[in-house]
Amino acid sequence: MPSLKQNGIPLYVQLEEIFSERIAIGEWAVNETIPNEMALCQEFGVSRGPVRQALDQLVRRGLLNRKQGKGTVVLPRKAENPLSDVYSFTRLIERRNKRPSIRLLAFDVVPAEKYAVTYLNLQPGAKIFKMRRLRLADDEPLIIETVYLPYEICPALTAKEVAGPSLYTLLREQYGVNLVHSKHYFEPTVANEFEAGVLGIEKKAPMLLQETITYTFGDSPVVFSKAVMRGDRVRYYVELTAPIVSP
Amino acid sequence: MPSLKQNGIPLYVQLEEIFSERIAIGEWAVNETIPNEMALCQEFGVSRGPVRQALDQLVRRGLLNRKQGKGTVVLPRKAENPLSDVYSFTRLIERRNKRPSIRLLAFDVVPAEKYAVTYLNLQPGAKIFKMRRLRLADDEPLIIETVYLPYEICPALTAKEVAGPSLYTLLREQYGVNLVHSKHYFEPTVANEFEAGVLGIEKKAPMLLQETITYTFGDSPVVFSKAVMRGDRVRYYVELTAPIVSP
């Protein structure tokens, strides 16, 4: 029987933690309705405010869902992906046994701005492809990515081609460009209105922003991309061997 | 001269991108005031609405700050940490040339809930230390972590000891427990009111949630921790060698 502490940590924080732990170990099972607010108030001997605050936050984090007429239901657990899946969203989605697909939101050839010139190491005035793609898993929108690609390496590239799932395979097989190395940056962000609308989530919902630079031989950058992923769907893990002398 | 496209991507999304790129390449320099809203409206030939929406989102993401009487100022760029720094917050902070310190928010010995029993592989009824620590970098609050630790491995542990920066060093040197392996999970989240207050950020500001299990020999879990980090301060990177056959 869990108990709340009088240790300066607010009740709603302690409740959020207890509830999230019940979900983690399956004491509150997936797709089942959890006890209603009144029952939770009674169990913990608290008023409605902290219980509701705790539940609100778990809804925001994608652990719970409020269903009209059905109460509050536990959502399926987030799929976990090894961090190496950052290299390929296609693989990330397939590993979840879902079918990856792409909807092309925009596809333009434009003069490279200073930004792309810098990141792709281009000559000023060079042209680039700039495309925005929505990636879906079993037809559910998951990721919006913006891709910058030098025009000169694949001038015949078409909108139809980039609507296929793997740009990297396309570059290798159609254009003879081999990608050998990549650098990935991560940070959390929140959805703007456009992203929220396209992904079917709330404005300011948690998102993971991932920026990637992919290189061919000789450390030459070829593809630069920025992707935002639904925070209630993404969870990465990585395993490390601890240093002998820990800092 | 950047131009806006009529390609179905809303103006405020295109503006957010252009502004963020100016910040990334230093065209809008750190600690300097950017052009005011009127000037930006004129430059891009748009109304105030999309300009303000774009700036709001960059403030939320921690790239810009609105200063009373000074206009909108570019914040210092986020420090970037190699992903291996997830192993040690002390190292993560030191690599930024900041002084790490800890403020202990709570420290209790409690019977392990089912959750801790599961994650730390304990006997039902075992006791654990449960502590909540605030980690600061040069006295700025950065991370709130909750740590679960079996009581039996270090029964003499004191609140004073865990207010020192490295729990891992303490476990090795004082209690002979060597940590050899760790598993780290990441996902984005947003700040609840407590976290926002302690970290000095807005409620629902972006955060990175990081869960860690650290093991001693024989794959025995020793420390389980959950940490939330200020999203406007954290940016990890990782480098990968691309697979020969990309998926």
Side-chain angles (χ1 to χ4, degrees):
Chain A
M1 163 76 189
S3 58
L4 300 178
K5 301 259 161 246
Q6 303 274 343
N7 60 3
I9 308 298
L11 294 178
Y12 67 88
V13 174
Q14 297 187 52
L15 289 170
E16 181 189 333
E17 194 168 87
I18 293 169
F19 297 165
S20 74
E21 294 178 354
R22 287 183 175 182
I23 295 166
I25 59 171
E27 191 176 327
W28 287 355
V30 170
N31 295 327
E32 288 195 1
T33 303
I34 66 166
N36 65 31
E37 288 181 10
M38 280 291 274
L40 293 169
C41 293
Q42 280 186 348
E43 179 181 354
F44 293 95
V46 295
S47 65
R48 210 144 178 164
V51 167
R52 193 168 289 168
Q53 257 179 297
L55 296 176
D56 282 349
Q57 181 72 357
L58 294 170
V59 167
R60 223 171 269 135
R61 287 172 53 194
L63 279 71
L64 294 174
N65 191 14
R66 288 206 176 85
K67 286 200 175 166
Q68 199 70 39
K70 217 197 145 184
T72 303
V73 171
V74 177
L75 285 171
R77 209 175 162 150
K78 278 189 199 185
E80 292 171 351
N81 283 89
L83 193 79
S84 56
D85 282 356
V86 298
Y87 179 71
S88 162
F89 291 134
T90 303
R91 174 176 288 179
L92 179 140
I93 292 167
E94 283 176 347
R95 200 189 293 271
R96 297 173 177 194
N97 295 315
K98 296 191 185 275
R99 192 180 51 80
S101 62
I102 282 183
R103 196 178 304 153
L104 194 60
L105 302 177
F107 180 77
D108 296 294
V109 178
V110 294
E113 313 289 351
K114 274 192 213 163
Y115 181 71
V117 166
T118 305
Y119 278 83
L120 290 173
N121 206 6
L122 301 173
Q123 298 297 322
K127 284 190 291 184
I128 55 167
F129 290 103
K130 183 170 173 182
M131 60 195 95
R132 221 175 287 258
R133 309 196 295 176
L134 175 64
R135 286 179 175 268
L136 306 96
D138 278 359
D139 301 321
E140 181 190 69
L142 186 65
I143 298 166
I144 303 171
E145 63 172 352
T146 307
V147 179
Y148 302 76
L149 188 65
Y151 177 77
E152 62 172 10
I153 66 164
C154 49
L157 194 70
T158 65
K160 198 179 165 205
E161 283 178 316
V162 299
S166 180
L167 186 60
Y168 296 166
T169 305
L170 183 74
L171 286 175
R172 189 182 64 243
E173 294 180 356
Q174 297 292 314
Y175 298 97
V177 178
N178 282 289
L179 301 166
V180 293
H181 172 75
S182 56
K183 198 162 175 184
H184 307 267
Y185 298 85
F186 303 86
E187 58 188 286
T189 184
V190 289
N192 65 25
E193 224 167 286
F194 170 71
E195 293 158 347
V198 170
L199 296 173
I201 54 179
E202 276 184 24
K203 196 182 160 188
K204 296 196 195 179
M207 304 266 276
L208 192 66
L209 168 63
Q210 184 177 317
E211 295 181 5
T212 296
I213 308 178
T214 313
Y215 301 83
T216 186
F217 300 104
D219 263 351
S220 299
V222 175
V223 187
F224 178 71
S225 74
K226 295 192 247 190
V228 282
M229 313 170 65
R230 280 182 64 159
D232 59 348
R233 290 285 182 274
V234 59
R235 185 167 157 95
Y236 280 117
Y237 68 86
V238 64
E239 295 194 55
L240 296 176
T241 301
I244 304 288
V245 178
S246 65
Chain B
M1 165 75 188
S3 58
L4 301 178
K5 302 258 161 244
Q6 303 274 343
N7 60 2
I9 307 300
L11 294 178
Y12 68 88
V13 173
Q14 297 186 52
L15 290 169
E16 180 189 333
E17 194 168 87
I18 293 168
F19 298 164
S20 74
E21 294 179 353
R22 287 183 174 182
I23 295 166
I25 61 171
E27 190 176 328
W28 286 355
V30 170
N31 294 327
E32 289 194 1
T33 304
I34 66 167
N36 65 31
E37 288 182 10
M38 280 291 274
L40 292 170
C41 293
Q42 279 186 348
E43 179 181 355
F44 293 95
V46 296
S47 66
R48 210 143 177 166
V51 167
R52 193 169 290 169
Q53 256 179 298
L55 295 176
D56 282 348
Q57 181 71 357
L58 293 170
V59 168
R60 224 171 269 134
R61 287 172 53 193
L63 278 72
L64 294 173
N65 192 14
R66 288 206 176 86
K67 285 200 176 167
Q68 200 70 39
K70 216 196 146 184
T72 303
V73 172
V74 177
L75 285 171
R77 209 175 164 149
K78 277 190 200 185
E80 291 171 353
N81 283 89
L83 193 80
S84 55
D85 281 356
V86 297
Y87 180 71
S88 162
F89 291 133
T90 302
R91 174 176 288 179
L92 179 140
I93 292 167
E94 284 175 348
R95 200 190 293 270
R96 297 172 175 194
N97 295 316
K98 295 191 184 277
R99 191 180 51 81
S101 63
I102 283 183
R103 196 176 305 152
L104 193 60
L105 302 177
F107 179 77
D108 297 293
V109 177
V110 294
E113 313 289 351
K114 274 191 213 165
Y115 180 71
V117 166
T118 305
Y119 278 83
L120 290 173
N121 207 5
L122 300 173
Q123 298 297 322
K127 285 191 290 183
I128 55 167
F129 290 103
K130 182 171 175 182
M131 59 195 96
R132 222 175 286 258
R133 309 196 296 176
L134 175 64
R135 286 179 175 268
L136 305 96
D138 279 359
D139 301 321
E140 181 190 68
L142 186 65
I143 298 166
I144 303 171
E145 63 172 350
T146 307
V147 180
Y148 302 75
L149 188 65
Y151 177 78
E152 62 172 10
I153 66 163
C154 48
L157 194 70
T158 65
K160 197 177 166 205
E161 283 176 318
V162 299
S166 179
L167 186 59
Y168 297 166
T169 305
L170 182 74
L171 287 175
R172 190 183 63 242
E173 294 181 355
Q174 296 292 312
Y175 298 97
V177 178
N178 283 290
L179 301 167
V180 293
H181 172 75
S182 56
K183 198 162 176 183
H184 307 267
Y185 298 85
F186 303 86
E187 57 188 288
T189 184
V190 289
N192 65 24
E193 224 168 284
F194 170 72
E195 293 158 348
V198 170
L199 295 173
I201 54 179
E202 276 183 24
K203 197 184 160 187
K204 296 196 195 181
M207 304 265 277
L208 192 65
L209 169 63
Q210 184 177 317
E211 295 182 5
T212 297
I213 308 178
T214 313
Y215 301 83
T216 186
F217 300 103
D219 263 350
S220 299
V222 175
V223 187
F224 178 71
S225 74
K226 295 192 249 190
V228 283
M229 313 171 65
R230 281 182 64 159
D232 59 348
R233 291 284 181 276
V234 59
R235 186 167 157 94
Y236 280 118
Y237 67 87
V238 64
E239 296 194 55
L240 296 175
T241 301
I244 304 288
V245 178
S246 66

